[in-house]
Amino acid sequence: MLKKIALLIPLISFIHCKNPPARQAVKSDFRSVMSEFDHTIQKYIQSDSTQQSISFAVMHKDRILWSKAFGYADKENNIKADTSTIYRIGSVSKSFTSFLMMQLVEKGLLKLNDPVESFLPEIKNLKGYSDSTKITFLQLATHTSGLEREPELAGAADGPIASWEEKVLAAIPATAFGSRPGTKFSYSNIGYAILGLALSRAAGKPFITLMEENIFIPLQMNNTYYVVPQEKFTKLAKGRSKAFGQVDLATPQREHLGRGYKVPNGGIYSTPNDLSKFIMAELGVYPLLNANARATIQTGKLPAAGEAKYGLGLYIYELDNKIMIHHSGSVAGYTAEMDFEKNSKYGVAIMCNYNTMGEMLGFYAQQLLEQLSALDDTVIPPAN
C-alpha cells in the first residue's frame, strides 16, 4: 500500500512521514465517510503544535458536497480558518497552465507538436540548444523537455510578479538539458515557466489575462488570483514555514511580493471551493474543453513515479479499476492537494498554511477518494 500512496506525492516520499494515520475501514454512506474524515483532520490539528489550518472541499459531478476548515488562518491574530480562506496552491498551478494550453490548441493558436521556438525564439539561448534539441509544447507540458528542474541563476525565484517574464528570459541562458527532449520524464519548474511565456506569445495576450479570461472568470473562481487584491488580504491565510526547528513567518510573507519566474508553474492563490470548480472542468462538468482535449490532458505519457504516469500537468495512475488523477503543490508556508477519480467523478481539494504537510495531505486525499469512489452512485450524497 505504501507504494500506491507514494504515487500521489512525487516530490515528498510518504515513507518520510513520521506518524502516518491509520487506514480506515470502508464505510457505506457519504456522510459517515465525511464525518470520519472531519474527525481525522480535527484530531490532527488539535495535536499539532504549529497552529496551522487545513481547509478542504469535496465535490461530486456538478456539486460541492462538503466544505470545512479547521485551525487558524492567522494564529497570531486569533483568526480561525473558514471555507473562504485563501491559500497558495504552488505547483497545482501547472495543471491550470496545461489546461490553458489545450484551450489555445482548440482555438487553433498552436499545435502540441509545434516547436516552442516558433513563438519564443529566445528559447534558442538554452545551454546546449541546437536543431537536434528543439522542444515542443507537448514536451514542456509533460515534463519531457529534458530541461533541468531549476535554472542556475541567482535570484531567479525572487522579484515582483510584474517582472516574471523578464526573469524567465534571464533564466533561459542559465538553464541546461539533463536529458535529450522526449526521452524521459524529468520534472522542470523552469520548463513550465517557459511554457507559460510561450502560450502568452502564441495568443498575443499576457499570461495572467489569458488565465483569468479562459478559466477563472468562466468558472466563477472568484477567490482565485495571481495577485491577491488588497480587500482580500484579511482572507489570506498566514503562511508558516519551518526552518531549523523554528516557525518562519517572514519568508512566506516576503514571497507574497513575488517569486521571480515562478508564475505559470506555481503562482496561483485559491480556495478549496474554487479548486473544486476547476476539478469539475477537468471532468467535463463545465465544458471549457472538449472530451478529446481532456483525454489528452489525462493520459499518461511516460512513467513518472512508480506506476504513475504524467499527462499534461497531472499525475495519473490506476488503482483497483479506478483512474486516480492528482497534483500537489508546496511553497514557503503553504501546501495544496488536488485529486479526483475519473470514473466516479469525485474530487478532493485540500489546502494548508504550512509547507511540511505534503505527505500527510496526499495520504488524506487518497484515502478519502478511495472511500468515496467506492460508494453506491445511485444514492446521491447530501450536501452539508
Side-chain angles (χ1 to χ4, degrees), residues 208-348:
I208 293 175
T209 300
L210 287 170
M211 194 66 71
E212 291 170 344
E213 291 180 350
N214 288 276
I215 299 179
F216 297 172
I217 294 172
L219 292 179
Q220 297 183 32
M221 297 177 70
N222 299 324
N223 291 301
T224 301
Y225 315 95
Y226 283 94
V227 179
V228 178
Q230 184 72 37
E231 66 271 17
K232 290 286 187 174
F233 279 1
T234 57
K235 300 305 299 180
L236 177 61
K238 180 183 287 187
R240 311 176 75 84
S241 291
K242 195 168 187 178
F244 306 107
Q246 300 295 319
V247 174
D248 172 17
L249 302 178
T251 301
Q253 180 65 27
R254 183 177 66 254
E255 291 195 351
H256 291 313
L257 301 176
R259 300 180 65 233
Y261 82 89
K262 294 189 173 183
V263 173
N265 57 336
I268 293 177
Y269 295 81
S270 192
T271 66
N273 284 352
D274 268 13
L275 191 53
S276 294
K277 297 176 183 178
F278 180 67
I279 295 175
M280 293 177 190
E282 287 278 10
L283 289 169
V285 175
Y286 295 128
L288 299 191
L289 279 178
N290 66 38
N292 289 336
R294 287 186 285 105
T296 298
I297 290 175
Q298 297 167 22
T299 300
K301 306 303 177 183
L302 288 174
E307 297 173 4
K309 293 183 178 181
Y310 198 87
L312 279 67
L314 293 169
Y315 289 89
I316 303 106
Y317 74 99
E318 294 188 17
L319 173 67
D320 300 330
N321 297 319
K322 299 178 178 65
I323 301 175
M324 310 289 267
I325 300 178
H326 148 90
H327 213 295
S328 61
S330 181
V331 301
Y334 300 91
T335 307
E337 183 76 26
M338 178 183 75
D339 297 73
F340 58 96
E341 200 282 308
K342 192 171 182 178
N343 295 326
S344 66
K345 298 190 185 302
Y346 276 102
V348 183

Side-chain angles (χ1 to χ4, degrees), residues 24 31 73 84 96 104 112 118 127 192 301 318 333 352:
Q24 302 165 4
R31 189 166 292 278
S84 61
F96 286 77
L104 300 186
L112 287 178
S118 299
K127 291 181 180 180
Y192 252 81
K301 306 303 177 183
E318 294 188 17
C352 175

Side-chain angles (χ1 to χ4, degrees), residues 97-114:
T97 298
S98 63
F99 196 95
L100 173 66
M101 180 185 70
M102 291 306 299
Q103 290 179 312
L104 300 186
V105 169
E106 278 194 349
K107 293 177 181 180
L109 296 178
L110 61 97
K111 296 178 181 178
L112 287 178
N113 290 318
D114 281 343

Side-chain angles (χ1 to χ4, degrees), residues 23-87:
R23 179 158 298 282
Q24 302 165 4
V26 174
K27 294 179 174 56
S28 60
D29 67 278
F30 177 82
R31 189 166 292 278
S32 294
V33 170
M34 292 311 308
S35 294
E36 183 63 30
F37 187 75
D38 284 358
H39 176 74
T40 299
I41 297 297
Q42 191 169 24
K43 184 177 179 181
Y44 179 84
I45 287 290
Q46 290 172 346
S47 66
D48 186 72
S49 62
T50 55
Q51 302 293 350
Q52 83 261 26
S53 64
I54 297 178
S55 300
F56 63 90
V58 172
M59 54 73 55
H60 181 237
K61 296 182 178 177
D62 62 346
R63 290 193 297 158
I64 296 174
L65 300 176
W66 203 268
S67 184
K68 292 287 185 70
F70 298 97
Y72 288 92
D74 182 347
K75 173 60 178 176
E76 287 68 30
N77 291 300
N78 201 36
I79 299 174
K80 290 189 176 182
D82 59 32
T83 57
S84 61
T85 297
I86 298 169
Y87 302 82

